[in-house]
Amino acid sequence: MLSLGIETSCDETAVALVRDGRLVGQKLATQIDVHAVFGGVVPEIASREHLRVLPVLYRELMQDTGIDPSEIDVVSVARGPGLLGALLVGVSFAKALSVSLGTRLVGVNHLWAHLLAPGLEQELRFPALGLLVSGGHTHTYRIDSSTQFELLGRTLDDAAGEAFDKVAKLLNFPYPGGRFIDELGRGVAPDTGLFPRAFIDTPSLDFSFSGLKTAVANYIQAHPELVLDEMGNIESVARMPRERRDLIATVCASFNWSVADTLRIKVERALKQTGKVKSIIVAGGVAANSMVRTVMQELAESRNIDLVLPGLQLCTDNGSMIAYAGGLLAGQGYCHGLDLEAIPRGRVVPLDWRECRG
Ligand code: KG4
Ligand code: ZN
């Protein structure tokens, strides 16, 4: 089963080929530089960039892998949730390709694809507890198979990645700044009393990160020396006087810790609700965060449950996870028709695949 994956849900244009669950080749073009000056993704620009870049990436992928398009068994495309205009570019391209090649079309839930992605690297064991922490979502799921996901908790306001990016922006890092906060706080002892772990005093499995974001914003306002003089110049931090540099590092480490420990508390609660699971899967861009990885590792070890963490390149958006997840659906005999809809953020992705043979 050779699956072509197409990803255009946000600001990465990506394609990949996965054969029988193993990666054959991939191409990715990030739009980060295009959007960085605006401090966030501009949906209209994202759509136009996907339109410009996607056919080029597809051609390069086929050329570099030496695979003839007629060998593709299924065209898998991220159909949501995401930016609607951006998704429409990928879905239209996928529909056209599936018609011209006479192959199956499968619409992939982008969030499920994040959580299934580590299956490219290791065998996934179900039932699993899934934690998806990305720029747009913070969800926990009970996962019983590659097509059975039960949503347990979700964020009521900002996603974890969004909180990272907003705090990074306040410190004068370019969008998306999560990785800078990770890097600057790495190896530094957090001040665990500095920022709150928001929304943990309720039994709810839901998340809320807006209170934490406000607490950091107030702290930065009271300590203007935290703000970088020049946007994103991480090297300039190293040249700062020690006291200022240490303050920035402590704020970053403490913020990393507040997010990671909140995630730990909610995952522990979710585990109580799900009963016994064989693994905990942590996925999405924020799964690249070193503090989140450490805290989750400790949690899994203390519970004697396998922890599944994707490699860093599989954490953020990519085409491989779409090709892989689409290949799993197609392998079970499912596909979508040409009426496949793109699903914007905030709407539930329907389970509307149908049985397809041949
Ligand atoms: O999953 P993803 O690539 O895109 C979405 O589907 O949203 O996640 C992107 C998010 C951004 O908010 C980015 O700042 C965050 O993941 N991120 C990180 C790190 N690397 C990426 N946040 C914290 N630490 C990191 N190392
Ligand atoms: Zn994503």
Side-chain angles (χ1 to χ4, degrees), residues 115 118 122-132 139-143 263-264 266-272 274-283 292-293 295-310:
L115 287 159
Q122 67 189 94
E123 197 191 330
L124 299 182
R125 296 172 67 228
F126 302 115
L129 190 285
L131 170 68
L132 172 71
H139 283 180
T140 46
Y141 294 94
R142 179 188 161 102
I143 311 173
L263 297 176
R264 175 190 63 77
K266 298 286 174 166
V267 166
E268 279 199 311
R269 275 188 205 158
L271 283 172
K272 277 195 195 122
T274 53
K276 210 166 165 44
V277 292
K278 292 191 177 141
S279 60
I280 300 173
I281 306 174
V282 185
V292 170
R293 292 173 94 85
V295 164
M296 288 301 154
Q297 192 75 55
E298 286 166 3
L299 168 65
E301 272 168 22
S302 73
R303 297 295 188 106
N304 210 9
I305 304 174
D306 279 357
L307 178 68
V308 179
L309 278 170

Side-chain angles (χ1 to χ4, degrees), residues 7 9-10 110-111 114 132 134-137 284-285 315-318 321:
E7 162 60 44
S9 64
C10 191
H110 176 92
L111 307 180
H114 268 299
L132 172 71
S134 71
H137 298 86
C315 287
T316 44
D317 290 349
N318 61 83
M321 67 183 195

Side-chain angles (χ1 to χ4, degrees), residues 134-197:
S134 71
H137 298 86
T138 309
H139 283 180
T140 46
Y141 294 94
R142 179 188 161 102
I143 311 173
D144 282 291
S145 75
S146 61
T147 53
Q148 290 171 291
F149 285 62
E150 182 197 347
L151 183 64
L152 302 172
R154 57 184 308 165
T155 181
L156 303 174
D157 40 55
D158 291 350
E162 214 173 336
F164 267 103
D165 296 338
K166 286 181 179 166
V167 167
K169 194 174 174 181
L170 291 170
L171 293 172
N172 206 11
F173 285 112
Y175 175 87
R179 66 192 173 90
F180 297 111
I181 300 200
D182 181 9
E183 204 176 309
L184 285 171
R186 207 170 293 162
V188 177
D191 177 346
T192 56
L194 198 55
F195 303 126
R197 290 166 299 168

Side-chain angles (χ1 to χ4, degrees), residues 14-70:
V15 290
L17 284 165
V18 166
R19 180 178 272 129
D20 300 328
R22 292 290 156 257
L23 184 63
V24 177
Q26 61 175 327
K27 296 277 164 194
L28 184 142
T30 181
Q31 304 176 5
I32 281 178
D33 292 347
V34 181
H35 300 288
V37 283
F38 299 102
V41 178
V42 183
E44 173 82 16
I45 297 177
S47 310
R48 289 183 190 194
E49 280 297 297
H50 289 309
L51 190 65
R52 192 173 69 79
V53 171
L54 179 57
V56 182
L57 290 188
Y58 169 70
R59 204 179 47 215
E60 284 178 2
L61 178 70
M62 301 318 283
Q63 271 168 5
D64 289 5
T65 55
I67 285 176
D68 189 83
S70 64

Side-chain angles (χ1 to χ4, degrees), residues 65-115:
T65 55
I67 285 176
D68 189 83
S70 64
E71 294 175 53
I72 296 171
D73 296 301
V74 56
V75 178
S76 310
V77 60
R79 52 94 57 112
L83 301 172
L84 190 57
L87 289 166
L88 289 176
V89 177
V91 170
S92 304
F93 188 86
K95 285 184 181 181
L97 203 58
S98 84
V99 170
S100 67
L101 298 175
T103 53
R104 277 192 246 176
L105 172 73
V106 167
V108 173
N109 181 325
H110 176 92
L111 307 180
W112 291 15
H114 268 299
L115 287 159

